[in-house]
Amino acid sequence: MKFYIDTEFNGYKGELISMALIGLDGVEWYESVGCENPDPWVAEHVMPIIHKSPISKKEMQNSLQTFLSGYNAAHIIADWPEDIAHFCQLLITGPGTRIDTPALTLEVRRDFDDAVSLMPHNALSDARAMRKYDMRETVGA
């Protein structure tokens, strides 16, 4: 299954704030771990539009594992390398341990520049925009 991913994080190379995955079939997963000390830009542009109560990192990992457990394979597509980096970091639960996932493949694409998010800087809205853009390209609309 193809999934489009977007994340929000606290400034350049900052800590994860929220993550969304949208399947090609339209199924959605979205969680937030919040941010106690957001950078000023993040405080102004990201925090007010998360629209998701924060949970702990462990709860987010459990939620992601449960979500992905319904698939035999997952192809994660991002428009930015840090989205993949945050996804991979979320997989790791401790030294030598990780959440259970189906077989994973990862892809970073640059062609989503024309994808229009209804709420820029909201991970869920941005992932939806990538899916919609890719589906338009696929069907030739």
Side-chain angles (χ1 to χ4, degrees), residues 16-37:
L16 178 67
I17 297 172
S18 62
M19 179 183 293
L21 291 168
I22 309 296
L24 188 61
D25 62 357
V27 67
E28 299 182 345
W29 176 86
Y30 178 52
E31 296 291 356
S32 172
V33 290
C35 183
E36 290 187 23
N37 296 306

Side-chain angles (χ1 to χ4, degrees), residues 97-133:
T97 60
R98 64 188 287 287
I99 66 171
D100 290 329
T101 64
L104 297 171
T105 54
L106 309 169
E107 178 181 359
V108 179
R109 291 180 23 195
R110 296 189 73 121
D111 63 331
F112 289 117
D113 289 345
D114 293 330
V116 179
S117 178
L118 297 177
M119 192 181 315
H121 312 301
N122 172 281
L124 183 59
S125 182
D126 293 350
R128 284 175 178 159
M130 287 189 296
R131 176 183 175 270
K132 183 177 179 181
Y133 178 82

Side-chain angles (χ1 to χ4, degrees), residues 16-122:
L16 178 67
I17 297 172
S18 62
M19 179 183 293
L21 291 168
I22 309 296
L24 188 61
D25 62 357
V27 67
E28 299 182 345
W29 176 86
Y30 178 52
E31 296 291 356
S32 172
V33 290
C35 183
E36 290 187 23
N37 296 306
D39 142 303
W41 189 92
V42 170
E44 181 179 347
H45 298 280
V46 175
M47 300 309 293
I49 60 168
I50 290 177
H51 303 302
K52 185 78 176 175
S53 296
I55 59 176
S56 71
K57 180 180 178 184
K58 180 67 175 162
E59 290 170 316
M60 189 181 222
Q61 289 170 318
N62 290 339
S63 176
L64 178 61
Q65 178 175 285
T66 299
F67 176 74
L68 291 174
S69 71
Y71 300 93
N72 293 325
H75 181 70
I76 311 297
I77 303 168
D79 65 349
W80 189 247
E82 278 185 278
D83 295 331
I84 297 296
H86 283 292
F87 175 79
C88 289
Q89 284 297 314
L90 193 60
L91 299 177
I92 301 167
T93 57
T97 60
R98 64 188 287 287
I99 66 171
D100 290 329
T101 64
L104 297 171
T105 54
L106 309 169
E107 178 181 359
V108 179
R109 291 180 23 195
R110 296 189 73 121
D111 63 331
F112 289 117
D113 289 345
D114 293 330
V116 179
S117 178
L118 297 177
M119 192 181 315
H121 312 301
N122 172 281

